[in-house]
Amino acid sequence: MGRQLKFNIFRYNPEDPKSVPHMESFDLEETEAMTLYIALNRLREEQDPSLQFDFMCRAGICGSCAMMINGRPDLACHTKTKNLPDEINLMPLPVFKLIGDLSVDSGTWFRAMNEKVQSWVHTDKPFDPNAEEEPMDNQLAEEIYELERCVECGCCVAACGKANMREDFMGAAAFNRIARFMMDPRDERTGTEYFEVVGNEEGIFGCLGLLGCEDVCPKEIPLQDQLGMLRRKMGWQSIRHLFSRLLPD
Amino acid sequence: MFTQNVAQAKQPYRTDAYLDTFQMFSGVALILFMWSHMVLVASVNLGSRVMNSIAHFLEATYLAQIGGPMIALIFLAHFVMAARKIPFNYKEQKAMWTHSVRLNHLDTWLWIVQAVTGMIILIMGSIHMWTVLTDLPITAAKSAARIQGGWWLVFYMMLLPVIELHVGVGFYRLGVKWGWITRSNRKSLKNFENRLTIGFITIGLITLFTFYFIIKAA
Ligand code: HEM
Ligand code: SF4
Ligand code: SF4
Ligand code: FES
């Protein structure tokens, strides 16, 4: 017989005026290789069909199943119950808009973020569909790919003290995106253009360096290194600008 | 008015960047100062003559008279710049606290430690600077007299860990924020930083012991 697990799950349906936020407990017997994805689906099938949560790929690729698991943001589909204690608390991610129970709307947030950082290659070169693709140095391509792996799950945002305090803070996922385009030789944006997007208190200078983001990212993207690089680049750029203003040539 | 704004919108505003960069410089300056300060004060462990001659050198060269007020200014400037990051409204404070309790993540707690120790240093550091700088010259005997009075011993026993924590966490965080501490060296540098902090607190305690029991008061 497997362990007897106790789930304490946040319940609230903002659509229902009679609903009040509360925690509800469920008991479930652990089975072999059980993930939270399996557990939640069984709870919904066997105990309460109204339970709301999100899943798509169940393989850590789509980023839709992020939730607070015993206080820590992580992907439910790749979290094995055998690594958790008998009692498991599940809460929706903070910062994002609650849809109901464990389901949040991270899509709107990430769409706004991608629009803000203008998350596409900016180039004036006319596109010729018949031309051969320009080759890219393999090492560089891999470095860019390393940052491309973000699945937009929102764990880094939920784990960020600044994002919890300030709605307008861009968050580590956004810094990672910008760093990705700064590395890309096809993107013709200038330093000043990048500065305009991140060189302020809502951007990199608002980051407190708490590294909640770095420590929870389920894809282990090197967020810390992007934050440090961005602040250094943007900081020095502002100093250079200041000196060029003070000492006109 | 309106057209002027449009014309100026070409350049991004850089105030946040300047303030954050100067916050970094003020932090570095204060760390360097605290290390020199520790060397001066701990020199008393080698005898009051050593400390007195260092203090005398600083005064004869006017380093104390000019440096003291300059440090006070940097102290003030650092406070103003760093305080921008401290939430002063209830909603943000509550959000930060709820978040820290929920996530229970060391680096996040350390930031709260930094904000709280910072506010304590603002008050206690000002008292300390005023007392010392309005009673120049600095001599081992005068310092010993203060500490042996009892209240100042309590005061310094509180200020010492508070400031070393703030400096230690600040040093680590400067490295993280400006990218000198990276994923690959974070663990070892954090370890090093912790040992440095414990080392400085130990030297400080030994120094207070020397002042209290060994140095002859004026
Ligand atoms: C006047 C009272 C002080 C207050 C209120 C204060 C407050 C703060 C706060 C809130 C931070 C965090 C800033 C951030 O996370 O962005 C900070 C950082 C720091 N503090 Fe202080 N502090 C004070 C005095 C000092 C002193 C006396 C020293 C050194 C001896 C010091 C050294 C540092 C360092 C090195 C940092 C890191 C700098 C940075 O993150 O940019 N502080 N301080
Ligand atoms: S950076 Fe990591 S934690 Fe943040 S959204 Fe992307 S995958 Fe999730
Ligand atoms: S390092 Fe910056 S972005 Fe990451 S959790 Fe901390 S404040 Fe947020
Ligand atoms: S279900 Fe897609 S990441 Fe978990």
Side-chain angles (χ1 to χ4, degrees):
Chain A
M1 214 179 92
R3 263 194 314 166
Q4 217 35 54
L5 297 177
K6 183 170 177 200
F7 288 90
N8 302 314
I9 299 179
F10 177 84
R11 302 301 306 270
Y12 177 52
N13 180 2
E15 298 289 307
D16 177 3
K18 287 200 296 288
S19 169
V20 274
H22 65 284
M23 298 298 286
E24 191 174 341
S25 297
F26 299 89
D27 293 311
L28 190 69
E29 194 190 319
E30 189 174 40
T31 51
E32 192 160 332
M34 186 184 242
T35 62
L36 282 180
Y37 162 78
I38 295 171
L40 282 167
N41 273 295
R42 271 188 55 196
L43 288 180
R44 181 156 64 187
E45 273 163 32
E46 297 165 16
Q47 302 192 27
D48 186 346
S50 73
L51 186 60
Q52 294 186 65
F53 54 85
D54 297 321
F55 284 95
M56 291 271 279
C57 71
R58 58 187 182 28
I61 298 166
C62 72
S64 50
C65 65
M67 56 184 69
M68 301 297 275
I69 303 163
N70 286 340
R72 205 188 128 101
D74 207 340
L75 298 178
C77 72
H78 86 169
T79 302
K80 296 225 167 67
T81 52
K82 75 166 196 273
N83 299 328
L84 296 172
D86 295 347
E87 194 159 339
I88 299 165
N89 296 320
L90 300 180
M91 302 274 287
L93 289 188
V95 184
F96 301 100
K97 185 168 171 274
L98 183 73
I99 294 173
D101 301 340
L102 299 175
S103 168
V104 295
D105 175 10
S106 51
T108 306
W109 193 97
F110 274 96
R111 184 178 173 99
M113 181 278 276
N114 279 311
E115 277 169 13
K116 179 148 197 199
V117 310
Q118 307 192 356
S119 178
W120 58 86
V121 170
H122 289 53
T123 176
D124 288 332
K125 280 202 197 118
F127 178 63
D128 176 2
N130 298 319
E132 214 172 292
E133 233 182 300
E134 264 180 60
M136 183 185 274
D137 176 55
N138 201 34
Q139 166 140 18
L140 179 62
E142 274 179 17
E143 278 167 24
I144 293 178
Y145 181 68
E146 177 70 3
L147 308 189
E148 274 279 285
R149 293 184 304 113
C150 169
V151 295
E152 305 202 338
C153 61
C155 287
C156 55
V157 179
C160 174
K162 186 69 173 221
N164 272 267
M165 276 195 282
R166 299 283 301 264
E167 243 173 61
D168 56 6
F169 183 59
M170 290 168 74
F175 303 145
N176 179 59
R177 289 252 90 192
I178 291 168
R180 177 243 173 276
F181 286 103
M182 284 171 71
M183 277 163 82
D184 195 323
R186 294 166 300 178
D187 199 312
E188 291 166 352
R189 272 182 275 187
T190 61
T192 310
E193 281 170 290
Y194 285 119
F195 187 94
E196 209 165 340
V197 180
V198 277
N200 47 46
E201 194 66 22
E202 293 79 52
I204 192 62
F205 294 113
C207 166
L208 297 169
L210 313 177
L211 297 186
C213 54
E214 162 90 4
D215 292 338
V216 304
C217 174
K219 306 310 282 184
E220 294 183 14
I221 292 176
L223 296 173
Q224 171 180 3
D225 298 351
Q226 312 319 312
L227 297 170
M229 178 279 293
L230 270 183
R231 195 185 221 105
R232 223 172 39 229
K233 280 210 167 141
M234 297 300 147
W236 290 134
Q237 194 179 315
S238 71
I239 296 295
R240 271 205 307 278
H241 178 82
L242 185 64
F243 277 105
S244 73
R245 290 284 290 273
L246 295 178
L247 317 162
D249 44 20
Chain B
M1 288 289 279
F2 181 68
T3 45
Q4 269 183 14
N5 283 340
V6 172
Q8 284 170 359
K10 279 265 162 242
Q11 277 293 333
Y13 76 101
R14 291 189 164 78
T15 322
D16 293 342
Y18 294 150
L19 286 177
D20 220 71
T21 310
F22 287 112
Q23 180 180 323
M24 182 259 289
F25 286 128
S26 74
V28 170
L30 287 170
I31 292 177
L32 291 177
F33 167 70
M34 285 314 296
W35 289 347
S36 336
H37 181 279
M38 188 55 101
V39 170
L40 165 68
V41 181
S43 67
V44 79
N45 292 312
L46 306 175
S48 9
R49 293 241 315 275
V50 182
M51 172 166 164
N52 287 344
S53 57
I54 296 181
H56 178 75
F57 168 78
L58 292 179
E59 271 152 40
T61 53
Y62 286 91
L63 278 173
Q65 293 88 329
I66 298 166
M70 258 179 57
I71 290 296
L73 263 180
I74 298 178
F75 179 83
L76 195 67
H78 171 78
F79 160 66
V80 171
M81 286 184 285
R84 293 176 308 138
K85 312 283 176 167
I86 303 181
F88 283 98
N89 72 52
Y90 176 70
K91 204 174 141 229
E92 288 180 11
Q93 279 171 359
K94 184 153 189 303
M96 188 64 197
W97 185 255
T98 312
H99 168 71
S100 305
V101 172
R102 183 173 53 208
L103 193 64
N104 203 11
H105 166 256
L106 182 62
D107 282 20
T108 302
W109 278 121
L110 287 181
W111 189 77
I112 295 193
V113 167
Q114 204 175 14
V116 172
T117 51
M119 299 308 266
I120 298 174
I121 295 170
L122 174 65
I123 298 166
M124 295 182 85
S126 307
I127 296 173
H128 163 73
M129 282 195 291
W130 185 265
T131 314
V132 173
L133 292 177
T134 54
D135 191 19
L136 290 176
I138 295 172
T139 67
K142 274 196 329 207
S143 303
R146 265 200 292 275
I147 290 167
Q148 287 168 19
W151 284 115
W152 281 105
L153 178 69
V154 177
F155 181 91
Y156 286 131
M157 292 284 264
M158 278 158 55
L159 185 55
L160 173 70
V162 162
I163 203 142
E164 291 306 342
L165 268 176
H166 190 87
V167 170
V169 179
F171 191 39
Y172 167 69
R173 171 140 311 123
L174 266 180
V176 167
K177 291 210 293 196
W178 291 87
W180 299 300
I181 296 181
T182 58
R183 176 179 276 189
S184 52
N185 64 19
R186 174 177 174 202
K187 229 176 133 185
S188 57
L189 283 179
K190 197 173 182 177
N191 241 321
F192 169 73
E193 182 45 51
N194 287 343
R195 266 180 283 163
L196 205 63
T197 304
I198 293 172
F200 273 117
I201 293 181
T202 313
I203 298 175
L205 287 176
I206 295 172
T207 307
L208 283 175
F209 178 91
T210 306
F211 271 125
Y212 194 75
F213 289 110
I214 296 174
I215 304 299
K216 247 174 83 181

